[in-house]
Structures are given as structure tokens and as C-alpha cells.
Amino acid sequence: MGKFKELLERKPLSLVVSLPENDIALARVAMEEGADALKVHYNVGHRASGNHFGPLDMYAEVFRAIRSEFGGPLGVVPSGNIDGAQREDVERLGGMGFDFYSIYAHHLPSFMLDELGLDPTFAINEEYDDSLVTSAAHFGFTALEASIVPGKEYGTPLSFADVLKYRRLVLQAQVPVLVPSQRKLVPEDVRVLCHTGVKAIMLGAVVTGNTEEQLRRAVNGFRNVVDSLNRPDYIS
């Protein structure tokens, strides 16, 4: 069993941090504040942060540095389009210490369905037919990232309409569902998200900002609430 799959099965709710930049200092802050897993990017434009991430070789050194200091699951987004996911790069990821990949289903080429030594996760956006996700388990996927908030609505508050959509995906997906912070999530949202049955909250730039201090404050606030919900005596 892969490290990320084991985490999602072991903990009722996990906290993943999607770093706004491939930066060892930011990674250290996330580690210090208790991130269960980290995610980085290459070869992709990131809509929420406004950052563009270059080719894999540009970050190989920092990725290895993060891996050397972080014992938890380390994931990567390997491309922002289907042509950019190159086999020769993706096949290097396991050797660089990555545990899982995350990529939109429509950016995922067929070779990435092969055994690559990584826990495979995929994302859907707001345009997907929800009923399609029921097939994910058949193809061995570890988790679904529910990136279903339209880009023009990034940074707006979580609504009950969102909660209903996340709950529907949990019921349909047959694999663990992760919620990325496309909305301006606050720690008070964690309880209701946990109640939907999602297995992880992924904090990204909308919530964490781009500085070490902003990231520290955000991860700390969410960590405290997640820990309270993961207590054995907590009743949802």
C-alpha cells in the first residue's frame, strides 16, 4: 500500500498542504505546523496562486531537499495539459521520492494508468458529469480531488450548495474524496466538510497565501480543528 493511500485509510480526516511555490522554507513551515502530506507542482500554470511552474529539472534539487526533510506523503502535479505529461519525467518521480501524483482527468494520458510506483489521484472540475467518477476505483485510483469550484468564484466563502456537491461525490466516487481550498475556507468550515465524509482538506494558495507567515497561520488554524475532529471521543 502506498504512503498516501495508507494515510487516507488510517486517519478520519487528513490535512494536505499544496505549496504555493516550490520552496524549501515554505515546506518547512507546513511540516512544522503539522501537515499530513505535501503537494508540489511542475510544468503547470496554477490558477489559484497565479504562479507558473517550469519543467521538472528546474525543481529537482528542491524536491529532493523537501523529501529529505519530510517523512509524510509527498505528491506532485506533473502537468497542466495532456501534452505536458511526459513519460520520461513521470517515470522519474518515484525515484525522486514522490508518493502520489495529482492531475485533472482530462490532462491524464493513458500511460499514467500504468504501474508507476505512485498512488494515483485525479481531479475533476465543475464541468464533469459526476456519475463518471464511479469508475475511478476500477482503474485503481487512490483518491479524487474535487476541484469543482468555477475559477471566477475562487476565494469566495463555502456555501451549503458546495457541501451538497461534496457529499454527492463522496457517495458516488467509491474512492476517498479530497477538497481543495478553492473557496476561502476557514477553520469553522472543517466540521461540516468532515461530516460530508471527505477524507482530506487540501490547503492551497487561496487560504495559505504566499508568505511563510500566512502559511504558518493558516496551517496551524486548520491543524487544530482537524486534530479535534480526529479524537477517538469525537462524535460527528
Side-chain angles (χ1 to χ4, degrees):
M1 182 186 301
K3 191 179 288 188
F4 192 48
K5 183 177 177 67
E6 187 275 332
L7 171 70
L8 296 176
E9 291 190 1
R10 175 169 51 87
K11 286 198 170 189
L13 186 66
S14 295
L15 186 64
V16 182
V17 175
S18 178
L19 295 177
E21 297 181 35
N22 297 328
D23 181 88
I24 186 64
L26 292 173
R28 285 172 178 153
V29 168
M31 295 178 221
E32 290 166 4
E33 297 303 328
D36 291 311
L38 298 178
K39 188 175 82 169
V40 295
H41 308 72
Y42 74 86
N43 198 28
V44 63
H46 192 241
R47 186 162 56 177
S49 68
N51 290 334
H52 179 78
F53 298 90
L56 177 61
D57 285 338
M58 183 181 295
Y59 308 111
E61 187 174 335
V62 69
F63 289 165
R64 290 191 177 97
I66 294 171
R67 175 75 288 172
S68 71
E69 297 187 22
F70 181 58
L74 179 62
V76 63
V77 179
S79 181
N81 59 73
I82 193 166
D83 294 324
Q86 297 298 313
R87 180 186 286 270
E88 56 268 30
D89 284 343
V90 173
E91 289 180 344
R92 295 168 58 194
L93 297 176
M96 296 175 73
F98 285 102
D99 302 295
F100 68 99
Y101 70 70
S102 174
I103 187 170
Y104 276 109
H106 58 287
H107 295 160
L108 196 159
S110 60
F111 80 83
M112 289 184 67
L113 298 175
D114 296 341
E115 175 52 55
L116 298 168
L118 303 168
D119 282 335
T121 78
F122 74 104
I124 64 169
N125 64 23
E126 72 279 7
E127 297 177 357
Y128 278 66
D129 176 351
D130 290 350
S131 66
L132 296 177
V133 302
T134 59
S135 300
H138 174 77
F139 292 99
F141 276 84
T142 294
L144 161 67
E145 185 177 330
S147 300
I148 58 174
V149 175
K152 66 181 184 296
E153 297 181 25
Y154 279 18
T156 57
L158 181 76
S159 71
F160 183 53
D162 300 318
V163 171
L164 291 173
K165 292 174 184 176
Y166 295 140
R167 177 58 181 166
R168 182 171 61 187
L169 285 173
V170 167
L171 294 173
Q172 290 182 317
Q174 301 177 44
V175 296
V177 175
L178 288 59
V179 172
S181 63
Q182 298 171 304
R183 297 293 187 192
K184 184 70 171 178
L185 298 179
V186 294
E188 290 77 13
D189 293 326
V190 174
R191 189 177 302 273
V192 69
L193 289 173
C194 181
H195 192 53
T196 69
V198 303
K199 293 294 291 181
I201 295 171
M202 182 179 293
L203 300 183
V206 167
V207 167
T208 66
N210 292 297
T211 71
E212 293 177 40
E213 186 52 41
Q214 290 171 324
L215 179 67
R216 185 179 300 280
R217 188 163 55 245
V219 179
N220 178 271
F222 280 82
R223 179 78 266 169
N224 289 335
V225 180
V226 170
D227 285 345
S228 72
L229 297 177
N230 281 338
R231 291 198 319 263
D233 60 340
Y234 173 72
I235 301 175
S236 62

